[in-house]
Amino acid sequence: MKARIITRQKLCPDIFWYEISAPHVACRFQAGQFVIIQVHERGERIPLTVAEAHPERGTIVLVFQVVGKTTLELSLLKEGEEIENCVGPLGNPSEINFFGQVICVGGGTGIACLLPIVRALSAAGNEVISLIGSRSRDYLILEDKIKAVSSSLFIATDDGTRGERGLVTDVLERILEEEEVRGKIQRVIAIGPPLMMRKVAEITRPHRIKTIVSLNTIMVDGTGMCGSCRVFLGKAMKLACIDGPEFDAHRVNFDDVISRLEMFRAKERLAWAVYRQQLEARQMEIKTKVRAKEGTASHD
Amino acid sequence: MIKIRGQRVPVRELSPEQRIKNFSSVPLGYSAEEAVAEARRCIQCRGAPCEVNCPIHLRVLDMIRAIATRQFKEAFFLLKEDNPIPAITGRVCPQESQCEGVCPLAQDGQGINIGKLEAFIADWARERGIKEEIVIKERPHRVAIIGSGPAGLICAYDLRRWGYQVTVFEALHKAGGVLQYGIPAFRLPTEVVDYEIALLEEIGVNFQLNFFVGQNIAFDELRHKYEAIFIGTGAGAPLFLGIEGEHLKGVYSANEFLIRVNLMKAYRFLEYDTPIVCGDRAGVIGAGNVAMDAARCARRLGAREVFILYRRTRKESPARVEEIHHALEEGVTWMELVAPKRILGDEQGWVRGIELVRMKLGEPDASGRPRPIPIEGSEFVLELDTVVEALGTTPNRLFLKHAPELAVNRWGLIQVDEKLQTNLKGVWAGGDAVRGNATVILALGDGRQAAAAIHRVLSPEKLG
């Protein structure tokens, strides 16, 4: 099914918010799930975060960061244009229950993935403390939306341009020692770069707080057929697409998760470089044509 | 003693040197003259063991007779009646253990090349745009088919011909199932599969791609919306050995390797966006058709040395004879009586080798094949930078999770009665989802049988 782009927004210099028409996904989406898209017929299939679903409008919201050729191509689509294929919702929904006090930690685009989870946890009556972070103010996304559904919100940026200076994990470490929350946190949910998630797991482990992470691995089909997304919990092999994407952070082998993300890096860099060159060549061509036109126009 | 009527007409093929540079079809197929010559060798023996031994009892003798008398169109229509996808089965059936294996001429290795004749006729018709005429008398009943592999396609074809409103649900973005994602283009050209699917669309089969039953609609809801359901979800989930080192970069399931190559066209990287990394030395664990496919893909992706690593011997290999022959021709090294113990990696997490242990054959096991027994102390390391595990596949547990009321056996295979009906009313199943790793032709037979059963239930008046 083709998915038309209804609205296109730039959340920050390299992160986009696309509301796309996908009624089959919208009517079934639950917090924690994802979709796989293919931008065009020759494109690769990549898993993407769903930040919101609007069943009444038959739309979902994709939030993605430009990290390679596929996401760059996606970011160049305009409103009204179509994504060739979109399948989902895939993966298991988050466990939403009344836990009591919960901390949600989000970094980068992980904040978008976290949004529907925070919303659902709050709706289930939990007191949700949200911690979000990015490298600097201009790269911090969805602050208002997260704030609107959280009991309290803490922000950290690497350069201190918004909220505290430092990492969200520093904030987490501190909060867990604070009098009011000490021993009361029932669950921590962390979604962001793998290094951040690993750090969260390390921090919560001595506190013995159940900690959930959502793994964004390499995937192809997303339905348990290829095994590309395999992750290891101790010695047990799990597939992020159908067993996850959420797992017990204290059991995930993050070294393998991080290493496996590198598998196609050289090829991805090559595709990126070639595509950038093609884009530049195309722009040069357009410029030359415009100049040529202007040239003939001035002769008239 | 039967007299040999000349030698089998050889099939022209791309040379191994040409082939390993591309993904074009290896057999070039018979010309009309060659097909006629091959057909004329048939002695039209009584009892037609070829037909008896065909899982769908194709009328082989009639087809061959029509070819021998150059009535290609008649041969095609006849073939199509029994088998809607002859261009595909002609290429992927294990003929040596079915029709060709029991040909009386086969005793001297000169059995009629039935597979190539079948493919010839289908290709001849396709190239000329010749299609069977299908007149459809519409019926109101709605039938859902889950999975667009061979079983589902045939079931859809038959039911649609009988006038049912048929919708095929497919999770991937292209229809065809294993024909699309599994079997490489050098064995089954993509255009052959696309052509068959286009024909189904032409007669009004509705394909819902990117649609996963269970995730996009509850299985129960589907049962309410459709009067009959056929489950042809195949066996698409890969098995892993469960040994040390499977997390390493450079280790693939054969499914991933083949999906990247076939469905996503990773061998045309930069023209297509899906990457694949295949090193200089690739090892493929297993020796079935999928292992041969993966090994031959690895050669085409530039691997200088490709090893088939098999714990039994060539005699026990379940692969088609033609595939083994082609793989060896293409420079694949056959290493038998070895079993992997662990995969070895470097500090960056890339595969560097595999530790193997030598095996010997013991008494027959449950599969009837001699059980391989490890020889203690015979371990050795084979240097590799790519490992592909082709150990077979199991049914998709994601679909089964969404249909918990469906009875399955302990291997996750759907249980059916002799009419392919499941324990649920109005739900039939067939193909690999029921059989495990079987063949296209058996899936085809199941799809056809289930369609007939559904027809009988939905339109009992027709039976009189």
Side-chain angles (χ1 to χ4, degrees), chain A residues 32-36 45-48 87-93 214-231 233 237-247, chain B residues 172 212 215 236-238 240 259 396-399 401-402:
Chain A
Q33 293 182 300
F34 61 94
V35 293
I36 282 188
R45 293 168 62 102
I46 56 162
L48 285 184
V87 59
L90 297 170
N92 296 293
S214 179
L215 300 179
N216 189 356
T217 61
I218 294 173
M219 289 185 189
V220 187
D221 64 285
T223 62
M225 281 175 63
C226 76
S228 168
C229 65
R230 61 190 182 274
V231 295
L233 273 65
M237 183 193 291
K238 299 282 175 192
L239 301 181
C241 66
I242 60 171
D243 297 316
E246 295 184 0
F247 292 102
Chain B
L172 290 172
F212 199 110
Q215 298 283 111
F240 285 90
I259 288 173
N396 195 312
R397 57 194 159 93
L398 180 54
F399 169 70
K401 192 178 85 180
H402 288 295

Side-chain angles (χ1 to χ4, degrees), chain A residues 1 24 28 38 42 45 69 85 88-89 92 223 225-226 228 230 232 243 256 259-260 263-264 267, chain B residues 173 209-211 214-216 238 246-247 249 251 253 255-256 260 269 273 276 350 396-397 401:
Chain A
M1 250 148 285
H24 285 106
R28 302 275 298 179
Q38 187 188 27
R42 296 184 166 207
R45 293 168 62 102
K69 184 195 172 187
N85 287 295
N92 296 293
T223 62
M225 281 175 63
C226 76
S228 168
R230 61 190 182 274
F232 295 84
D243 297 316
D256 291 345
S259 169
R260 288 187 59 77
M263 182 147 161
F264 300 100
K267 294 254 175 165
Chain B
H173 60 276
L209 304 177
N210 295 314
F211 197 102
Q215 298 283 111
N216 288 105
E246 288 180 320
H247 63 282
K249 287 171 281 190
V251 179
S253 71
N255 254 20
E256 179 182 359
R260 285 181 181 276
F269 184 65
D273 295 336
I276 192 160
W350 284 94
N396 195 312
R397 57 194 159 93
K401 192 178 85 180

Side-chain angles (χ1 to χ4, degrees), chain A residues 21 41 151 156:
Chain A
S21 149
E41 272 183 348
S151 306

Side-chain angles (χ1 to χ4, degrees), chain A residues 8-166:
Chain A
R8 175 188 182 277
Q9 276 179 53
K10 206 173 188 173
L11 295 180
C12 80
D14 60 357
I15 300 179
F16 293 81
W17 166 283
Y18 279 16
E19 182 168 348
I20 64 165
S21 149
H24 285 106
V25 187
C27 65
R28 302 275 298 179
F29 174 79
Q30 287 173 271
Q33 293 182 300
F34 61 94
V35 293
I36 282 188
I37 63 133
Q38 187 188 27
V39 180
H40 53 80
E41 272 183 348
R42 296 184 166 207
E44 59 179 335
R45 293 168 62 102
I46 56 162
L48 285 184
T49 287
V50 178
E52 284 181 357
H54 302 285
E56 69 293 350
R57 296 207 289 269
T59 64
I60 55 168
V61 172
L62 303 180
V63 172
F64 63 93
Q65 182 173 20
V66 175
V67 293
K69 184 195 172 187
T70 301
T71 42
L72 177 56
E73 276 186 308
L74 182 60
S75 75
L76 296 175
L77 293 181
K78 300 180 190 75
E79 284 179 4
E81 290 188 310
E82 287 174 329
I83 295 168
E84 187 66 28
N85 287 295
C86 173
V87 59
L90 297 170
N92 296 293
S94 303
E95 187 190 347
I96 304 294
N97 269 318
F98 175 71
F99 299 110
Q101 255 187 347
V102 180
I103 294 181
C104 289
V105 188
T109 43
I111 299 170
C113 191
L114 205 57
L115 177 61
I117 300 172
V118 174
R119 188 172 279 148
L121 285 171
S122 287
N126 293 287
E127 185 191 334
V128 183
I129 304 170
S130 292
L131 276 53
I132 59 172
S134 69
R135 51 190 141 130
S136 93
R137 184 185 57 198
D138 294 339
Y139 290 85
L140 187 70
I141 61 165
L142 305 175
E143 180 188 331
D144 293 340
K145 283 194 179 261
I146 291 277
K147 193 174 177 184
V149 290
S150 306
S151 306
S152 47
L153 173 67
F154 293 82
I155 297 169
T157 49
D158 297 0
D159 59 3
T161 46
R162 182 91 186 108
E164 303 174 32
R165 178 194 290 265

